[in-house]
Amino acid sequence: MAQPDTLVVGQGLAGTTLAWSLLLRGGRPLVMDAAARPAASRAAAGLLAPVGGKRLALAWRAEQAWPAAVRFYREVEDRLGVELLSEAPIVRLFVDPQQRAEFDRRASGPLGQWLVAEDAGVDPRVFFAPLGGCQVVGGRLDVGRFLDASRAEFARRGLLVEEDLPADGLRETEHGVAVDSLGSVLPRVVLCRGLAERDGRPLPFEPAKGETLTIRAPGVSEGRVVQRGVWLAPIGNALFRVGATFHPGAADVLPTVAGRRELESKLGELLRLPYEVVDHSAAVRPIVRTRRPIAGALPGRDRVGVLNGLGASGTLWAPWLAGHYADHLLSGEPLDREIDAGVRLAPG
Ligand SMILES: Cc1cc2nc3c(=O)[nH]c(=O)nc-3n(C[C@H](O)[C@H](O)[C@H](O)COP(=O)(O)OP(=O)(O)OC[C@H]3O[C@@H](n4cnc5c(N)ncnc54)[C@H](O)[C@@H]3O)c2cc1C
């Protein structure tokens, strides 16, 4: 095996996407992850939603991120021979007259190019849609399968080290970064550790806890994601993910009674049919200040970089972000200043 040129620490959405982006450009990544820690990616519903939030606002850099994400996941599907991405419109049912009015005002503007249909096209016996709705461009990634199949492929190619990087596990030398546990020196290291980066690194995290339910609803045959207050995402066998709560500040991963109550209350305004809750989980979104993702060398540490801050949009942002960072690492393309860790983390 050729000597690796980049150690990617962490195999969540950030690390996995970066490792693939390097590989697809002829780089030689080595991925380190013991898979023993809680990972936000394991909780993600995998929605790719260029149009989001109550105001139907366009996600940051949606114009670049959406096509980059579709291209990237299709390419990885080809490499792995598994299906990962389903492209299907997301149904937005209006929650109140203000949202309806906002939509009517903006549908003929920039929002228009993300509209698939100006009606919701849902079965009124299944969903409450008193104010109507619309369908916007979107998709869903099977995140678990993406991570597992990629991990197996990295292992098959000898590119995976199943270890946790200790807090003092890196030493920068004249020739590169010495990784004590590997007994070797690599040209560079990129830390993709999600919220674990809080321990000792200067990322300005503003994390937000999210809880989700998995329900069984045998009467619901809808194959698209439907959203009204909460989203309902089909995952097969009459099962649906429901989510997510958004609680800034909370950083534990314990499902709560209040969280379940909040989700079920909103679900009651979306779904008319009976269901049974079969699972309830919680995780924390790695959001950093300004709510933009971040990538690049840490200030004063040319050979140690980060890729983080994927927030609530990891599946949408990661391919564009990782591709951009990989171009920077391998071809010297300048980093976009809005994401550049060197700029964002510079003192003062
Ligand atoms: C409830 C919920 C629902 C969500 N739904 C969506 C959604 O529908 N769509 C969407 O786009 N986003 C969603 N998100 C956001 C998404 O989960 C995150 O943006 C994304 O998972 C962040 O990925 P990451 O790789 O940065 O972090 P993580 O997934 O946390 O990965 C970090 C990795 O680093 C590893 N690691 C940590 N420390 C070390 C160490 N010392 N040594 C080695 N490895 C280490 C961990 O094992 C882990 O594998 C959701 C988040 C939550 C909480």
Side-chain angles (χ1 to χ4, degrees):
M1 192 188 79
Q3 278 298 319
D5 58 18
T6 310
L7 177 67
V8 176
V9 183
Q11 200 244 321
L13 273 166
T16 305
T17 309
L18 179 63
W20 274 116
S21 298
L22 291 167
L23 276 174
L24 294 170
R25 287 162 174 77
R28 300 186 308 277
L30 178 68
V31 178
M32 177 184 278
D33 190 320
R37 294 167 177 258
S41 305
R42 293 284 169 185
L47 309 189
L48 280 89
V51 177
K54 184 158 184 207
R55 295 193 63 239
L56 301 168
L58 212 52
W60 180 76
R61 295 291 167 91
E63 294 90 347
Q64 290 129 301
W66 167 254
V70 173
R71 248 192 336 266
F72 170 83
Y73 295 125
R74 293 293 179 224
E75 171 95 58
V76 175
E77 281 178 334
D78 280 352
R79 302 279 164 145
L80 294 174
V82 294
E83 217 173 289
L84 299 172
L85 177 69
S86 57
E87 275 180 86
I90 295 178
V91 179
R92 298 292 306 258
L93 302 176
F94 301 126
V95 285
D96 54 34
Q98 287 82 355
Q99 195 183 43
R100 165 94 243 180
E102 180 83 16
F103 171 76
D104 289 340
R105 197 171 60 74
R106 293 179 46 231
S108 56
L111 178 61
Q113 74 186 77
W114 299 90
L115 271 181
V116 178
E118 293 202 26
D119 66 275
V122 292
D123 185 342
R125 290 165 301 181
V126 178
F127 295 103
F128 289 104
L131 297 162
C134 63
Q135 299 177 55
V136 292
V137 169
R140 202 178 88 80
L141 178 76
D142 188 330
V143 183
R145 188 182 289 172
F146 170 60
L147 299 180
D148 292 343
S150 298
R151 189 177 184 90
E153 178 65 8
F154 297 155
R156 192 186 68 76
R157 295 191 191 197
L159 306 179
L160 179 73
V161 185
E162 304 217 36
E163 271 180 26
D164 211 54
L165 181 73
D168 56 355
L170 301 178
R171 270 180 305 111
E172 277 173 86
T173 71
E174 217 183 304
H175 310 290
V177 186
V179 185
D180 291 341
S181 62
L182 301 180
S184 55
V185 177
L186 284 100
R188 65 178 87 90
V189 175
V190 181
L191 304 170
C192 303
R193 302 190 288 190
L195 267 190
E197 214 58 61
R198 270 184 306 196
D199 310 332
R201 301 276 162 200
L203 293 196
F205 280 110
E206 294 178 350
K209 179 176 175 179
E211 299 189 38
T212 59
L213 302 176
T214 304
I215 64 166
R216 181 176 289 113
V220 183
S221 58
E222 178 61 63
R224 296 164 298 174
V225 174
V226 182
Q227 190 170 355
R228 182 169 192 252
V230 282
W231 42 254
L232 181 80
I235 54 173
N237 300 323
L239 295 173
F240 297 81
R241 294 284 299 277
V242 179
T245 62
F246 190 94
H247 291 291
D252 66 274
V253 293
L254 298 175
T256 63
V257 173
R260 176 168 172 165
R261 205 175 287 140
E262 179 184 333
L263 290 170
E264 290 212 66
S265 157
K266 290 181 175 166
L267 187 57
E269 293 177 22
L270 168 66
L271 190 60
R272 289 179 185 274
L273 300 185
Y275 63 86
E276 169 201 1
V277 176
V278 297
D279 191 30
H280 178 193
S281 63
V284 184
R285 302 169 182 87
I287 301 173
V288 292
R289 200 180 306 137
T290 73
R291 297 201 172 189
R292 304 276 189 266
I294 189 165
L298 291 164
R301 304 191 66 186
D302 290 349
R303 296 173 182 277
V304 179
V306 287
L307 194 154
N308 210 314
L310 292 178
S313 301
T315 43
L316 178 67
W317 281 342
W320 172 75
L321 183 73
H324 181 60
Y325 192 15
D327 286 339
H328 171 72
L329 291 174
L330 300 180
S331 315
E333 301 283 328
L335 268 184
D336 187 317
R337 288 178 66 81
E338 266 196 276
I339 58 164
D340 188 341
V343 175
R344 296 258 301 273
L345 304 175

